[in-house]
């Protein structure tokens, strides 16, 4: 350091000393206090011990120049500052864990399930762009059947973001999906009505692949018989000279002798 | 007289739609298996009450009488037996024949299912049938170890039954009976 520089520094220090000895306006003191508070808030390592420190300030000399945040914002002195700093610290620690982590785990689970397919079954390979797409909710349901995986996933979601944030983020991160291949509409007879004019039940029946129809089971009618059900196999005849009454009367008149 | 044959055609009306079987006269009947009927008859015989079987015989006798062209007593034995045998066959009670042993009339029923050991049920059936048909009280006493039933006055039925149970054959029993005219 040269002599000229030393002289310049000394002059600056003397001017600073002179300025400190001068009386300051209240407005300047308030601005300095705000700047000081802002600096302290942006330095958590230095402020956090102050939260745990006793209410008595450690440095009374700085007291006039270090107003509490309550003086600036009108809120509670230390708790909001400590809480906000703690939240910032937590977000910084959890920042490397994106919301997409559970989705990645689910995708890994689905991949394991697909491995169990038989060897001879050919699985159509999806394009690489589609693999990064989130699976439909229905296809992901089996992966949630594992209680431990679901519990761990739930804990991660609770800590990372609110459901609204997750929903918005999912919508924003979702790539454009291709249009689903729709089955061709069956041809129907022209009725002169648009689909909106048709009855709701009729439209619903057209939408379903298998229309519901009542099933009635009735017994078949008895077919006409070619010959009678009752059929006489044989009959006998007897030739007698007298009447049946005369023979019976004689038999009934028999007595032991 | 011999031109009046029993016509079995359409005797039973099988109403399959309603599950009913009716006879020509309108009476509803139920077709039973013989292994179902046998225990019922055995129970009736053990209780000594064959009234139901005799009532059935009376119903059959009424059917036979309605099918005859006149009173059974005034008709030939052939015609009466033809109609009675036809009705018996229709109901499944075997084939009916008539024999004459001296002055005694003997009914023969063949092809019966095994019912009671002494054939008392069929005896009650035949008694009811011919009593109604001829408007006279008739007792048909079974001859042991045969398919024959002798037609006698109910007042001597116990005596004839005792002879049969003691082992007398039909010829012996017939010889022990004599008509007042012969005496």
């Amino acid at each position: 350091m040269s002599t000229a520089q030393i002289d310049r520094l000394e002059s600056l220090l003397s001017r600073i000393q002179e300025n400190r000895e001068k009386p300051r306006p209240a407005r300047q003191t308030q601005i300095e206090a705000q700047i000081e508070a802002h600096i302290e808030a942006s330095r958590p390592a230095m402020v956090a011990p102050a939260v745990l420190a006793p209410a008595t300030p450690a440095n009374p000399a700085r007291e006039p120049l270090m107003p509490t945040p309550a003086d600036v914002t009108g809120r509670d002195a230390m708790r909001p500052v400590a809480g906000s700093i703690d939240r910032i610290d937590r977000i910084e620690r959890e920042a490397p864990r994106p919301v997409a982590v559970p989705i990645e785990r689910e995708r890994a689970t689905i991949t394991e399930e697909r491995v169990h397919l038989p060897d001879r079954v050919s699985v159509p390979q999806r394009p690489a762009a589609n693999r990064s797409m989130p699976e439909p909710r229905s296809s992901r349901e089996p992966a949630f059947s594992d209680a431990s995986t679901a519990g761990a996933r739930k804990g991660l979601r609770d800590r990372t973001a609110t459901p609204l944030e997750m929903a918005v983020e999912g919508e924003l991160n979702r790539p454009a999906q291709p249009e689903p291949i729709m089955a061709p509409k069956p041809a129907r007879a022209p009725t002169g009505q648009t689909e909106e004019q048709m009855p709701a039940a009729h439209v619903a029946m057209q939408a379903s692949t298998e229309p519901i129809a009542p099933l009635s089971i009735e017994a078949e009618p008895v077919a006409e018989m070619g010959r009678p059900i009752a059929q006489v196999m044989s009959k006998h005849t007897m030739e007698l000279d007298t009447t049946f009454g005369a023979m019976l009367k004689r038999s009934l008149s028999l007595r032991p002798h | 007289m011999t031109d009046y044959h029993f016509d079995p055609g359409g005797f039973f009306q099988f109403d399959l739609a309603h599950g009913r079987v009716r006879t020509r006269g309108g009476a509803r009947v139920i077709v039973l298996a013989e292994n179902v009927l046998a225990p019922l008859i055995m129970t009736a015989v053990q209780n000594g009450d064959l009234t139901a079987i005799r009532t059935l015989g009376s119903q059959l006798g009424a059917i036979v009488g309605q099918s005859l062209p006149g009173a059974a007593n005034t008709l030939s034995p052939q015609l009466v037996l033809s109609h009675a045998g036809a009705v018996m066959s229709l109901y499944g009670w075997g084939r009916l024949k008539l024999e004459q042993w001296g002055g005694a009339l003997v009914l023969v029923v063949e092809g019966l299912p095994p019912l009671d050991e002494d054939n008392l049920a069929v005896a009650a059936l035949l008694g009811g049938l011919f009593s109604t048909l001829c408007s006279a009280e008739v007792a048909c006493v079974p001859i042991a170890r045969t398919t024959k039933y002798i037609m006698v006055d109910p007042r001597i039925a116990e005596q004839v039954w005792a002879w049969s149970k003691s082992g007398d054959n039909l010829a012996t029993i017939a010889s022990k009976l004599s008509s007042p005219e012969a005496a």
Side-chain angles (χ1 to χ4, degrees), chain A residues 232 236 238 240 242 244 251 257, chain B residues 8 75 77-78 96 98 151 175:
Chain A
V232 178
H236 57 276
M238 178 181 276
L240 292 175
T242 58
F244 182 76
S251 180
H257 57 81
Chain B
L75 301 175
Q78 177 190 6
L96 183 64
L98 182 64
M151 303 176 73
S175 64

Side-chain angles (χ1 to χ4, degrees), chain B residues 20-42:
Chain B
R20 289 192 290 256
V21 183
R22 295 188 183 277
T23 63
R24 182 184 295 167
R28 183 173 179 177
V29 296
I30 294 178
V31 180
L32 285 180
E34 61 183 32
N35 56 357
V36 174
L37 180 63
L40 298 177
I41 288 180
M42 287 293 294

